[in-house]
Amino acid sequence: MPYISVIIPVYNAAAYLRECIDSLLSQTFADWEALCVDDGSTDESGIILDEYAAKDRRIKVFHQSNKGVSAARNFALESAKGEYVCFLDGDDIFDRDFLEKANEIFKNEDSVDFLRFRFKRFKEKSELKNSGDSAAEYLVVCGNDIYEWGFENLIFTGYSGLCIFKRSLAGRFPVGVKLSEDTVFILEVLSRAEKIIQSEFVGYYYRDSDFSATKKKFSSKERLVFFEAFEKMLDLFPTHTRGMSRMGWFNLIIWVLNAEDTIYSKEIHSKFKALVKKKKIRYVDLKKHWRLSYLAYYYCKSTFLIHLTRLAIRFALFCRHAKF
């Protein structure tokens, strides 16, 4: 039975897929299995995966019609055999010591449920020479402190690729959510964890391409689904809504209300007011400079006033620190 299961969802990643799989084959830790799910690719991704599987028995390939990255990951989770699980996207790569560093930490620390590394963005592989630090320190977080740490670190950088966790803690990715599905999944894992570690080791390299999900334009309907993902986060951590209120609801609202397509703005606004009514989002929890934005959106649905508030805050902070 493999110690670590590496799940690789693949959709039309032929241009970078060999670099991705090679980064796994070059790992200094060898006790792993790879579950590669070809999610209905129309390029040569499926052929490339079959080629690698024929050369290394640790690589298992599954082909399915296009159902989305969440469905692909969920399918692989059902087939995973490892004690621990991690994810690698088809256009990203691991540092060669990614799995070895995880194994060292698991040996040095008892009963680790969840481990998270740092990541680095890149465009070309040549940028990554000597970027890792094998002697990197790490932070241990236990008990109720996990929730505060989770909100502090994962609301806007909840990439699943940075994390290795016990397979027994895994839930399922929310199908249909096209952004932030990683964050929802990881926060759900954390809700079951008792001991986690944040390592300063840069182990995951995220390819910053023009085709990444974070750079795609989304319709208001898709943005509404994204809003619902954040609503689920509140349900996962009902006693930590203060952290959510402080750390991003208005950034989220500004992003959700696309000025070019506001068909769903009334529905989004009604959802926001419903959360306020249920006291999941509270005015008193907000920092002072967000309160005007709260009132503007609650009563006027005015994203313009929210933008204006943010600009005023930035200008005030600039003036405070500027030397004239």
Side-chain angles (χ1 to χ4, degrees), residues 19-45:
E19 285 187 6
C20 171
I21 304 297
D22 286 343
S23 78
L24 182 58
L25 291 174
S26 65
Q27 290 294 298
T28 53
F29 180 82
D31 190 9
W32 52 263
E33 67 170 354
L35 297 95
C36 306
V37 181
D38 172 25
D39 188 38
S41 297
T42 57
D43 62 4
E44 296 182 356
S45 294

Side-chain angles (χ1 to χ4, degrees), residues 69 74 83 153 222 320:
V69 64
N74 289 340
E83 181 178 351
N153 290 275
E222 290 173 321
R320 179 184 297 178

Side-chain angles (χ1 to χ4, degrees), residues 171-184:
R172 292 295 180 267
F173 285 86
V175 176
V177 178
K178 298 188 177 182
L179 271 178
S180 201
E181 75 282 354
D182 288 33
T183 306
V184 174

